[in-house]
Amino acid sequence: YEIGFLGMGAANGLLLLELERKNLLPALNVLILEPDAKLKNDKTYCFWADAQHEIRTQLKDVMFHQWDTIDTVDGLESLEDQHYYMVESIALYNKVKSVAQSYDNVTWVRSAVDGVKAQQEGVVVSSGSHSWEVKQLFDSRPPTIKEPMGPLVLQSFVGWRVKLQEDYWTPNQMTLMDFGIPQNGFTQFMYVLPTDSKEAVVEMTRFGSDPSP
């Protein structure tokens, strides 16, 4: 295989879509190793982009919501050029799987990786009794940190999708990095991302020695 992907989450998924967008995918033999079926909406991706950025066009069909106004302690602030966008992971997974399945030269194996061994040209990837030779590998698995480290500062997230019975939020107005919450010995802040007048994603981010409960 010319290219191999270990994991098919956001990073490798966007790379696969970019290869197709640039019409490079038809000429490549591609191997994908992903242990998960990618059937659940298990993540939410948010990002900034200006009105002219090409990613707005590339991901238009999977964008779930966008915001153009921030609610701050000093009042509302309108974002002129930058907007904040949300993509639900299941929409991205489905788009990536659809693209992969449309090419005979893309092999998708639902399996975890046991080992990766470098050789003179490329690497050998193994899973159970199977192995594959890959010239260029994109590995999205979390790295193993081997060097000695001091006390860890963890960044953790916990979020809820909140639904109300009555109108409360303005769908295009968001709250970002609100530190006006109890810190409890950590550094932590809240996001509130309304998706309509009765529903919002509420997320807490924490930096500290213990993760969010």
Side-chain angles (χ1 to χ4, degrees):
Y1 293 91
E2 279 85 18
I3 290 181
F5 294 102
L6 302 189
M8 193 45 69
N12 280 345
L14 291 173
L15 179 53
L16 185 76
L17 295 179
E18 186 68 4
L19 290 173
E20 195 218 12
R21 188 182 73 84
K22 293 187 174 180
N23 201 33
L24 298 173
L25 200 54
L28 299 169
N29 287 322
V30 178
L31 173 69
I32 299 169
L33 287 171
E34 169 56 65
D36 189 77
K38 297 297 183 185
L39 299 177
K40 296 180 181 179
N41 188 42
D42 55 359
K43 294 181 178 68
T44 298
Y45 307 118
C46 292
F47 61 92
W48 294 95
D50 60 53
Q52 306 304 319
H53 200 289
E54 60 185 12
I55 196 170
R56 295 180 69 247
T57 301
Q58 297 168 16
L59 297 181
K60 182 178 180 180
D61 57 338
V62 296
M63 285 183 182
F64 182 70
H65 199 74
Q66 70 180 62
W67 297 268
D68 58 20
T69 304
I70 300 179
D71 190 357
T72 74
V73 294
D74 297 320
L76 298 178
E77 181 178 342
S78 179
L79 304 172
E80 296 181 0
D81 297 324
Q82 292 283 329
H83 289 185
Y84 198 53
Y85 298 92
M86 175 187 287
V87 173
E88 292 187 319
S89 61
I90 189 63
L92 182 61
Y93 297 157
N94 288 339
K95 181 179 177 71
V96 170
K97 287 192 291 185
S98 177
V99 168
Q101 291 167 0
S102 68
Y103 288 89
D104 293 334
N105 54 306
V106 176
T107 301
W108 188 306
V109 181
R110 186 179 172 186
S111 182
V113 175
D114 296 333
V116 177
K117 184 178 180 181
Q119 54 182 15
Q120 188 171 0
E121 294 187 6
V123 297
V124 174
V125 181
S126 60
S127 177
S129 60
H130 301 281
S131 62
W132 303 266
E133 293 186 1
V134 179
K135 291 183 179 179
Q136 191 170 13
L137 187 67
F138 296 92
D139 188 351
S140 65
R141 298 173 300 168
T144 300
I145 301 174
K146 298 180 180 180
E147 60 268 20
M149 298 182 64
L152 292 177
V153 176
L154 304 175
Q155 181 182 12
S156 57
F157 308 87
V158 60
W160 305 267
R161 190 179 294 275
V162 179
K163 294 184 179 181
L164 306 179
Q165 294 182 342
E166 299 180 356
D167 293 338
Y168 181 79
W169 288 292
T170 303
N172 70 318
Q173 296 177 8
M174 59 181 173
T175 301
L176 300 182
M177 299 185 71
D178 180 4
F179 285 88
I181 62 173
Q183 297 298 299
N184 299 326
F186 303 98
T187 298
Q188 48 194 24
F189 50 85
M190 299 288 295
Y191 280 57
V192 181
L193 304 172
T195 53
D196 64 34
S197 61
K198 297 179 181 179
E199 184 172 343
V201 174
V202 179
E203 179 187 277
M204 187 183 82
T205 301
R206 171 184 287 181
F207 291 88
S209 56
D210 297 322
S212 300

